[in-house]
Amino acid sequence: MILGPPEQLDSATLAFCATIAPEPPLYVPVRPAAAAKPAYCFENSETYAEANGGEAVYGWAIWRWPGRWFEAEHHAVWRSPEGELLDVTPQAGDPVRVLFLPDPSAPYDPTTFRPNIMAPDGHETLVREYIALVAQRGAITRTYWEPGMDVLPLFSPEDQARIAPLDARMAEIRAAIG
């Protein structure tokens, strides 16, 4: 899978972003802070702001697998006292920049789970099926989420039985499209 920041702000990327928030997306350099932990963007940005001034800015990291799908992940970056944005969180694949979509309507709230938002990048039937399967799986797994949870607990046997065929089909589709 080649999911990373979109290489350019083309019409498809802008259209996807417009379905999420009215702000324009912008590229933000990634320079992980020394003590920053992967996947802890909210804490990393807030801690960095406490130490260096500025503030955490909330929104969405926009990812794209060209020709397959877009994905928006709830995210935070740091805004310096001078107004410059910097992503202080280590990112998978070590991109030099992320595409960040500011969204004042999506602040970080540890009691609120914000699932990733996906949309096809093209019209491939298998991609649309995959996105639907991700949504079905998420509907099951979200019922286990609790504030402050780092890792989901073991699923009930009934939910394991519901998830297994979804995971199997998702693996088939990834193999077919990737």
Side-chain angles (χ1 to χ4, degrees), residues 114-138:
R114 294 184 191 273
N116 288 8
I117 301 166
M118 296 178 74
D121 181 20
H123 302 288
E124 189 173 323
T125 303
L126 286 177
V127 169
R128 292 178 182 281
E129 180 184 353
Y130 184 86
I131 291 170
L133 291 167
V134 168
Q136 289 174 32
R137 189 181 198 288

PDB file of all heavy atoms in Angstrom, residues 114-138:
ATOM      1  N   ARG A 114     -12.891  10.238  16.859  1.00  0.00           N
ATOM      2  CA  ARG A 114     -13.152  10.711  15.493  1.00  0.00           C
ATOM      3  C   ARG A 114     -12.537   9.704  14.521  1.00  0.00           C
ATOM      4  O   ARG A 114     -11.325   9.653  14.369  1.00  0.00           O
ATOM      5  CB  ARG A 114     -12.550  12.087  15.278  1.00  0.00           C
ATOM      6  CG  ARG A 114     -13.197  13.167  16.121  1.00  0.00           C
ATOM      7  CD  ARG A 114     -12.612  14.537  15.775  1.00  0.00           C
ATOM      8  NE  ARG A 114     -13.015  15.530  16.733  1.00  0.00           N
ATOM      9  CZ  ARG A 114     -14.141  16.247  16.674  1.00  0.00           C
ATOM     10  NH1 ARG A 114     -14.981  16.044  15.681  1.00  0.00           N
ATOM     11  NH2 ARG A 114     -14.417  17.137  17.592  1.00  0.00           N
ATOM     12  N   PRO A 115     -13.364   8.912  13.861  1.00  0.00           N
ATOM     13  CA  PRO A 115     -12.823   7.925  12.923  1.00  0.00           C
ATOM     14  C   PRO A 115     -12.241   8.593  11.688  1.00  0.00           C
ATOM     15  O   PRO A 115     -12.601   9.723  11.335  1.00  0.00           O
ATOM     16  CB  PRO A 115     -14.042   7.072  12.562  1.00  0.00           C
ATOM     17  CG  PRO A 115     -15.213   7.964  12.789  1.00  0.00           C
ATOM     18  CD  PRO A 115     -14.829   8.878  13.922  1.00  0.00           C
ATOM     19  N   ASN A 116     -11.330   7.876  11.032  1.00  0.00           N
ATOM     20  CA  ASN A 116     -10.798   8.359   9.762  1.00  0.00           C
ATOM     21  C   ASN A 116     -11.940   8.465   8.752  1.00  0.00           C
ATOM     22  O   ASN A 116     -12.924   7.734   8.829  1.00  0.00           O
ATOM     23  CB  ASN A 116      -9.729   7.412   9.230  1.00  0.00           C
ATOM     24  CG  ASN A 116      -8.442   7.484  10.032  1.00  0.00           C
ATOM     25  OD1 ASN A 116      -8.372   8.132  11.076  1.00  0.00           O
ATOM     26  ND2 ASN A 116      -7.422   6.811   9.552  1.00  0.00           N
ATOM     27  N   ILE A 117     -11.769   9.379   7.820  1.00  0.00           N
ATOM     28  CA  ILE A 117     -12.750   9.601   6.759  1.00  0.00           C
ATOM     29  C   ILE A 117     -12.112   9.131   5.460  1.00  0.00           C
ATOM     30  O   ILE A 117     -11.003   9.570   5.125  1.00  0.00           O
ATOM     31  CB  ILE A 117     -13.137  11.086   6.672  1.00  0.00           C
ATOM     32  CG1 ILE A 117     -13.730  11.560   8.008  1.00  0.00           C
ATOM     33  CG2 ILE A 117     -14.102  11.323   5.505  1.00  0.00           C
ATOM     34  CD1 ILE A 117     -13.826  13.068   8.135  1.00  0.00           C
ATOM     35  N   MET A 118     -12.790   8.263   4.743  1.00  0.00           N
ATOM     36  CA  MET A 118     -12.249   7.727   3.498  1.00  0.00           C
ATOM     37  C   MET A 118     -13.180   8.056   2.327  1.00  0.00           C
ATOM     38  O   MET A 118     -14.390   8.154   2.513  1.00  0.00           O
ATOM     39  CB  MET A 118     -12.071   6.214   3.591  1.00  0.00           C
ATOM     40  CG  MET A 118     -11.062   5.770   4.622  1.00  0.00           C
ATOM     41  SD  MET A 118     -10.935   3.966   4.736  1.00  0.00           S
ATOM     42  CE  MET A 118     -10.022   3.597   3.229  1.00  0.00           C
ATOM     43  N   ALA A 119     -12.571   8.192   1.159  1.00  0.00           N
ATOM     44  CA  ALA A 119     -13.335   8.375  -0.076  1.00  0.00           C
ATOM     45  C   ALA A 119     -12.502   7.828  -1.231  1.00  0.00           C
ATOM     46  O   ALA A 119     -11.265   7.915  -1.207  1.00  0.00           O
ATOM     47  CB  ALA A 119     -13.645   9.850  -0.314  1.00  0.00           C
ATOM     48  N   PRO A 120     -13.160   7.261  -2.230  1.00  0.00           N
ATOM     49  CA  PRO A 120     -12.404   6.713  -3.361  1.00  0.00           C
ATOM     50  C   PRO A 120     -11.708   7.805  -4.159  1.00  0.00           C
ATOM     51  O   PRO A 120     -12.175   8.932  -4.247  1.00  0.00           O
ATOM     52  CB  PRO A 120     -13.463   6.016  -4.204  1.00  0.00           C
ATOM     53  CG  PRO A 120     -14.776   6.499  -3.716  1.00  0.00           C
ATOM     54  CD  PRO A 120     -14.587   7.087  -2.359  1.00  0.00           C
ATOM     55  N   ASP A 121     -10.565   7.449  -4.709  1.00  0.00           N
ATOM     56  CA  ASP A 121      -9.855   8.303  -5.654  1.00  0.00           C
ATOM     57  C   ASP A 121      -9.979   7.613  -7.007  1.00  0.00           C
ATOM     58  O   ASP A 121      -9.096   6.902  -7.447  1.00  0.00           O
ATOM     59  CB  ASP A 121      -8.384   8.443  -5.244  1.00  0.00           C
ATOM     60  CG  ASP A 121      -7.600   9.352  -6.183  1.00  0.00           C
ATOM     61  OD1 ASP A 121      -8.215  10.165  -6.897  1.00  0.00           O
ATOM     62  OD2 ASP A 121      -6.357   9.241  -6.216  1.00  0.00           O
ATOM     63  N   GLY A 122     -11.117   7.781  -7.603  1.00  0.00           N
ATOM     64  CA  GLY A 122     -11.444   7.074  -8.828  1.00  0.00           C
ATOM     65  C   GLY A 122     -12.757   6.331  -8.623  1.00  0.00           C
ATOM     66  O   GLY A 122     -13.466   6.570  -7.653  1.00  0.00           O
ATOM     67  N   HIS A 123     -13.046   5.431  -9.511  1.00  0.00           N
ATOM     68  CA  HIS A 123     -14.349   4.765  -9.470  1.00  0.00           C
ATOM     69  C   HIS A 123     -14.242   3.248  -9.419  1.00  0.00           C
ATOM     70  O   HIS A 123     -15.210   2.557  -9.720  1.00  0.00           O
ATOM     71  CB  HIS A 123     -15.178   5.192 -10.687  1.00  0.00           C
ATOM     72  CG  HIS A 123     -15.383   6.661 -10.762  1.00  0.00           C
ATOM     73  ND1 HIS A 123     -16.228   7.335  -9.910  1.00  0.00           N
ATOM     74  CD2 HIS A 123     -14.816   7.604 -11.542  1.00  0.00           C
ATOM     75  CE1 HIS A 123     -16.191   8.630 -10.179  1.00  0.00           C
ATOM     76  NE2 HIS A 123     -15.341   8.820 -11.160  1.00  0.00           N
ATOM     77  N   GLU A 124     -13.104   2.732  -9.034  1.00  0.00           N
ATOM     78  CA  GLU A 124     -12.914   1.293  -9.014  1.00  0.00           C
ATOM     79  C   GLU A 124     -13.867   0.629  -8.014  1.00  0.00           C
ATOM     80  O   GLU A 124     -13.931   1.012  -6.845  1.00  0.00           O
ATOM     81  CB  GLU A 124     -11.462   0.971  -8.656  1.00  0.00           C
ATOM     82  CG  GLU A 124     -11.138  -0.490  -8.833  1.00  0.00           C
ATOM     83  CD  GLU A 124      -9.661  -0.767  -8.648  1.00  0.00           C
ATOM     84  OE1 GLU A 124      -8.827   0.052  -9.052  1.00  0.00           O
ATOM     85  OE2 GLU A 124      -9.367  -1.825  -8.087  1.00  0.00           O
ATOM     86  N   THR A 125     -14.589  -0.355  -8.477  1.00  0.00           N
ATOM     87  CA  THR A 125     -15.570  -1.046  -7.657  1.00  0.00           C
ATOM     88  C   THR A 125     -14.947  -1.671  -6.418  1.00  0.00           C
ATOM     89  O   THR A 125     -15.511  -1.590  -5.327  1.00  0.00           O
ATOM     90  CB  THR A 125     -16.286  -2.125  -8.494  1.00  0.00           C
ATOM     91  OG1 THR A 125     -16.880  -1.497  -9.628  1.00  0.00           O
ATOM     92  CG2 THR A 125     -17.352  -2.840  -7.691  1.00  0.00           C
ATOM     93  N   LEU A 126     -13.779  -2.289  -6.543  1.00  0.00           N
ATOM     94  CA  LEU A 126     -13.131  -2.919  -5.399  1.00  0.00           C
ATOM     95  C   LEU A 126     -12.752  -1.900  -4.320  1.00  0.00           C
ATOM     96  O   LEU A 126     -12.819  -2.192  -3.129  1.00  0.00           O
ATOM     97  CB  LEU A 126     -11.895  -3.708  -5.829  1.00  0.00           C
ATOM     98  CG  LEU A 126     -12.138  -5.035  -6.540  1.00  0.00           C
ATOM     99  CD1 LEU A 126     -10.819  -5.671  -6.961  1.00  0.00           C
ATOM    100  CD2 LEU A 126     -12.937  -5.982  -5.661  1.00  0.00           C
ATOM    101  N   VAL A 127     -12.342  -0.715  -4.740  1.00  0.00           N
ATOM    102  CA  VAL A 127     -11.994   0.327  -3.771  1.00  0.00           C
ATOM    103  C   VAL A 127     -13.232   0.735  -2.987  1.00  0.00           C
ATOM    104  O   VAL A 127     -13.187   0.877  -1.760  1.00  0.00           O
ATOM    105  CB  VAL A 127     -11.346   1.540  -4.472  1.00  0.00           C
ATOM    106  CG1 VAL A 127     -11.228   2.721  -3.519  1.00  0.00           C
ATOM    107  CG2 VAL A 127      -9.983   1.161  -5.031  1.00  0.00           C
ATOM    108  N   ARG A 128     -14.326   0.909  -3.670  1.00  0.00           N
ATOM    109  CA  ARG A 128     -15.573   1.273  -2.985  1.00  0.00           C
ATOM    110  C   ARG A 128     -16.004   0.159  -2.010  1.00  0.00           C
ATOM    111  O   ARG A 128     -16.456   0.443  -0.907  1.00  0.00           O
ATOM    112  CB  ARG A 128     -16.666   1.578  -3.997  1.00  0.00           C
ATOM    113  CG  ARG A 128     -16.382   2.845  -4.786  1.00  0.00           C
ATOM    114  CD  ARG A 128     -17.454   3.131  -5.829  1.00  0.00           C
ATOM    115  NE  ARG A 128     -17.109   4.316  -6.578  1.00  0.00           N
ATOM    116  CZ  ARG A 128     -17.292   5.561  -6.150  1.00  0.00           C
ATOM    117  NH1 ARG A 128     -17.823   5.792  -4.983  1.00  0.00           N
ATOM    118  NH2 ARG A 128     -16.936   6.587  -6.901  1.00  0.00           N
ATOM    119  N   GLU A 129     -15.842  -1.078  -2.420  1.00  0.00           N
ATOM    120  CA  GLU A 129     -16.167  -2.182  -1.524  1.00  0.00           C
ATOM    121  C   GLU A 129     -15.243  -2.154  -0.301  1.00  0.00           C
ATOM    122  O   GLU A 129     -15.688  -2.350   0.832  1.00  0.00           O
ATOM    123  CB  GLU A 129     -16.044  -3.522  -2.250  1.00  0.00           C
ATOM    124  CG  GLU A 129     -16.380  -4.708  -1.346  1.00  0.00           C
ATOM    125  CD  GLU A 129     -16.166  -6.064  -2.015  1.00  0.00           C
ATOM    126  OE1 GLU A 129     -15.881  -6.128  -3.226  1.00  0.00           O
ATOM    127  OE2 GLU A 129     -16.288  -7.070  -1.282  1.00  0.00           O
ATOM    128  N   TYR A 130     -13.954  -1.920  -0.514  1.00  0.00           N
ATOM    129  CA  TYR A 130     -13.000  -1.879   0.591  1.00  0.00           C
ATOM    130  C   TYR A 130     -13.380  -0.791   1.606  1.00  0.00           C
ATOM    131  O   TYR A 130     -13.395  -1.035   2.808  1.00  0.00           O
ATOM    132  CB  TYR A 130     -11.579  -1.628   0.055  1.00  0.00           C
ATOM    133  CG  TYR A 130     -10.538  -1.672   1.135  1.00  0.00           C
ATOM    134  CD1 TYR A 130      -9.976  -2.879   1.525  1.00  0.00           C
ATOM    135  CD2 TYR A 130     -10.117  -0.516   1.773  1.00  0.00           C
ATOM    136  CE1 TYR A 130      -9.024  -2.938   2.528  1.00  0.00           C
ATOM    137  CE2 TYR A 130      -9.171  -0.558   2.787  1.00  0.00           C
ATOM    138  CZ  TYR A 130      -8.626  -1.773   3.149  1.00  0.00           C
ATOM    139  OH  TYR A 130      -7.689  -1.824   4.151  1.00  0.00           O
ATOM    140  N   ILE A 131     -13.710   0.388   1.116  1.00  0.00           N
ATOM    141  CA  ILE A 131     -14.099   1.488   2.005  1.00  0.00           C
ATOM    142  C   ILE A 131     -15.354   1.114   2.798  1.00  0.00           C
ATOM    143  O   ILE A 131     -15.450   1.394   3.989  1.00  0.00           O
ATOM    144  CB  ILE A 131     -14.269   2.793   1.199  1.00  0.00           C
ATOM    145  CG1 ILE A 131     -12.901   3.268   0.695  1.00  0.00           C
ATOM    146  CG2 ILE A 131     -14.949   3.879   2.034  1.00  0.00           C
ATOM    147  CD1 ILE A 131     -12.958   4.414  -0.303  1.00  0.00           C
ATOM    148  N   ALA A 132     -16.294   0.459   2.162  1.00  0.00           N
ATOM    149  CA  ALA A 132     -17.506   0.019   2.863  1.00  0.00           C
ATOM    150  C   ALA A 132     -17.164  -1.012   3.940  1.00  0.00           C
ATOM    151  O   ALA A 132     -17.727  -0.982   5.044  1.00  0.00           O
ATOM    152  CB  ALA A 132     -18.516  -0.557   1.872  1.00  0.00           C
ATOM    153  N   LEU A 133     -16.236  -1.912   3.652  1.00  0.00           N
ATOM    154  CA  LEU A 133     -15.820  -2.905   4.640  1.00  0.00           C
ATOM    155  C   LEU A 133     -15.114  -2.243   5.826  1.00  0.00           C
ATOM    156  O   LEU A 133     -15.320  -2.635   6.979  1.00  0.00           O
ATOM    157  CB  LEU A 133     -14.905  -3.956   4.000  1.00  0.00           C
ATOM    158  CG  LEU A 133     -15.575  -4.892   2.991  1.00  0.00           C
ATOM    159  CD1 LEU A 133     -14.525  -5.662   2.202  1.00  0.00           C
ATOM    160  CD2 LEU A 133     -16.531  -5.833   3.696  1.00  0.00           C
ATOM    161  N   VAL A 134     -14.289  -1.240   5.546  1.00  0.00           N
ATOM    162  CA  VAL A 134     -13.625  -0.498   6.630  1.00  0.00           C
ATOM    163  C   VAL A 134     -14.680   0.128   7.544  1.00  0.00           C
ATOM    164  O   VAL A 134     -14.559   0.089   8.774  1.00  0.00           O
ATOM    165  CB  VAL A 134     -12.671   0.576   6.063  1.00  0.00           C
ATOM    166  CG1 VAL A 134     -12.211   1.545   7.152  1.00  0.00           C
ATOM    167  CG2 VAL A 134     -11.469  -0.062   5.378  1.00  0.00           C
ATOM    168  N   ALA A 135     -15.715   0.690   6.949  1.00  0.00           N
ATOM    169  CA  ALA A 135     -16.783   1.312   7.744  1.00  0.00           C
ATOM    170  C   ALA A 135     -17.515   0.255   8.582  1.00  0.00           C
ATOM    171  O   ALA A 135     -17.823   0.498   9.752  1.00  0.00           O
ATOM    172  CB  ALA A 135     -17.759   2.048   6.831  1.00  0.00           C
ATOM    173  N   GLN A 136     -17.791  -0.899   7.996  1.00  0.00           N
ATOM    174  CA  GLN A 136     -18.468  -1.965   8.748  1.00  0.00           C
ATOM    175  C   GLN A 136     -17.609  -2.435   9.922  1.00  0.00           C
ATOM    176  O   GLN A 136     -18.100  -2.617  11.038  1.00  0.00           O
ATOM    177  CB  GLN A 136     -18.767  -3.153   7.835  1.00  0.00           C
ATOM    178  CG  GLN A 136     -19.851  -2.905   6.820  1.00  0.00           C
ATOM    179  CD  GLN A 136     -19.984  -4.081   5.862  1.00  0.00           C
ATOM    180  OE1 GLN A 136     -19.762  -5.226   6.227  1.00  0.00           O
ATOM    181  NE2 GLN A 136     -20.344  -3.798   4.618  1.00  0.00           N
ATOM    182  N   ARG A 137     -16.311  -2.603   9.663  1.00  0.00           N
ATOM    183  CA  ARG A 137     -15.400  -3.047  10.718  1.00  0.00           C
ATOM    184  C   ARG A 137     -15.314  -1.989  11.818  1.00  0.00           C
ATOM    185  O   ARG A 137     -15.321  -2.304  13.005  1.00  0.00           O
ATOM    186  CB  ARG A 137     -14.017  -3.331  10.131  1.00  0.00           C
ATOM    187  CG  ARG A 137     -13.080  -3.997  11.100  1.00  0.00           C
ATOM    188  CD  ARG A 137     -11.701  -4.223  10.463  1.00  0.00           C
ATOM    189  NE  ARG A 137     -10.926  -5.201  11.178  1.00  0.00           N
ATOM    190  CZ  ARG A 137     -10.375  -5.006  12.363  1.00  0.00           C
ATOM    191  NH1 ARG A 137     -10.515  -3.854  12.991  1.00  0.00           N
ATOM    192  NH2 ARG A 137      -9.673  -5.972  12.950  1.00  0.00           N
ATOM    193  N   GLY A 138     -15.227  -0.729  11.413  1.00  0.00           N
ATOM    194  CA  GLY A 138     -15.154   0.357  12.383  1.00  0.00           C
ATOM    195  C   GLY A 138     -16.390   0.442  13.254  1.00  0.00           C
ATOM    196  O   GLY A 138     -16.306   0.755  14.449  1.00  0.00           O
TER     197      GLY A 138
END
